[in-house]
Amino acid sequence: MAAAAAEAAPLDGGGDAARGPHHLINSKHLVKLEAYRGERNKFLAWRWEFMVAIRAMAPELVAPLKHIESHIDTDYKLNRLSVEERKQAMDLYMILALLCKDDAAEFVMSSEEHNGFEAWKSLVKARTVRSGTALMNKLMEPGFTSAEPTLKL
């Protein structure tokens, strides 16, 4: 009976297989994330790198970050959050406070103190295109940048 329970453990969420690959490697020393200075044209690339790093360092923050992005007009004040969500918001605030510089730091500093959910919401809201008209304009007038002087378009 005990042998059967031990064999079933990985399938019911209690084993290493259920935790995903992040438990296999100490990824905290592998992650090097550049600071974000608030440049609108660099946000999407930085956001992707940020989400990869968060997935490696604190996978429990991925779902809340995605939820915030898809529910951008929701109020995420600390007094409305559960105890667990408050802890996650505080952890995220510390990460963002360390990574955001210059203009990006203003969004973090202007959000509710220790509330990374509100800071992330502010960053995403300010740095992503959300309206259909703005998206259409971006498609109709694309900007191409190149460090190569012969490729100025």
Side-chain angles (χ1 to χ4, degrees):
M1 190 71 129
E7 287 180 30
L11 300 176
D12 67 8
D16 287 344
R19 289 192 297 193
H22 63 272
H23 76 281
L24 299 173
I25 300 171
N26 181 357
S27 57
K28 291 181 172 119
H29 298 291
L30 295 175
V31 176
K32 180 171 178 6
L33 190 59
E34 296 296 321
Y36 177 60
R37 301 194 175 284
E39 309 96 322
R40 183 181 302 270
N41 62 334
K42 294 182 179 180
F43 180 73
L44 291 178
W46 180 83
R47 179 201 164 276
W48 181 84
E49 291 176 11
F50 179 75
M51 292 298 274
V52 169
I54 289 296
R55 188 170 278 112
M57 295 184 314
E60 69 280 0
L61 291 177
V62 173
L65 288 170
K66 288 184 176 186
H67 178 82
I68 291 164
E69 289 179 11
S70 60
H71 299 88
I72 202 77
D73 293 321
T74 301
D75 182 8
Y76 297 99
K77 299 286 185 210
L78 288 175
N79 63 357
R80 294 179 177 222
L81 302 177
S82 70
V83 172
E84 179 61 28
E85 290 169 330
R86 231 176 277 136
K87 182 191 175 314
Q88 290 174 338
M90 293 170 99
D91 290 346
L92 181 60
Y93 184 88
M94 181 181 59
I95 294 167
L96 290 172
L98 292 170
L99 288 174
C100 292
K101 308 293 182 211
D102 303 333
D103 289 343
E106 294 294 325
F107 291 105
V108 177
M109 290 187 288
S110 66
S111 66
E112 182 182 22
E113 190 171 357
H114 303 295
N115 189 340
F117 290 176
E118 282 290 325
W120 184 249
K121 177 179 125 174
S122 295
L123 267 174
V124 169
K125 204 170 188 177
R127 295 298 180 234
T128 57
V129 177
R130 292 177 310 283
S131 78
T133 305
L135 285 171
M136 183 57 79
N137 287 339
K138 198 168 180 94
L139 284 172
M140 298 303 289
E141 297 180 25
F144 299 101
T145 58
S146 173
E148 178 62 38
T150 59
L151 294 177
K152 296 289 183 196
L153 300 174

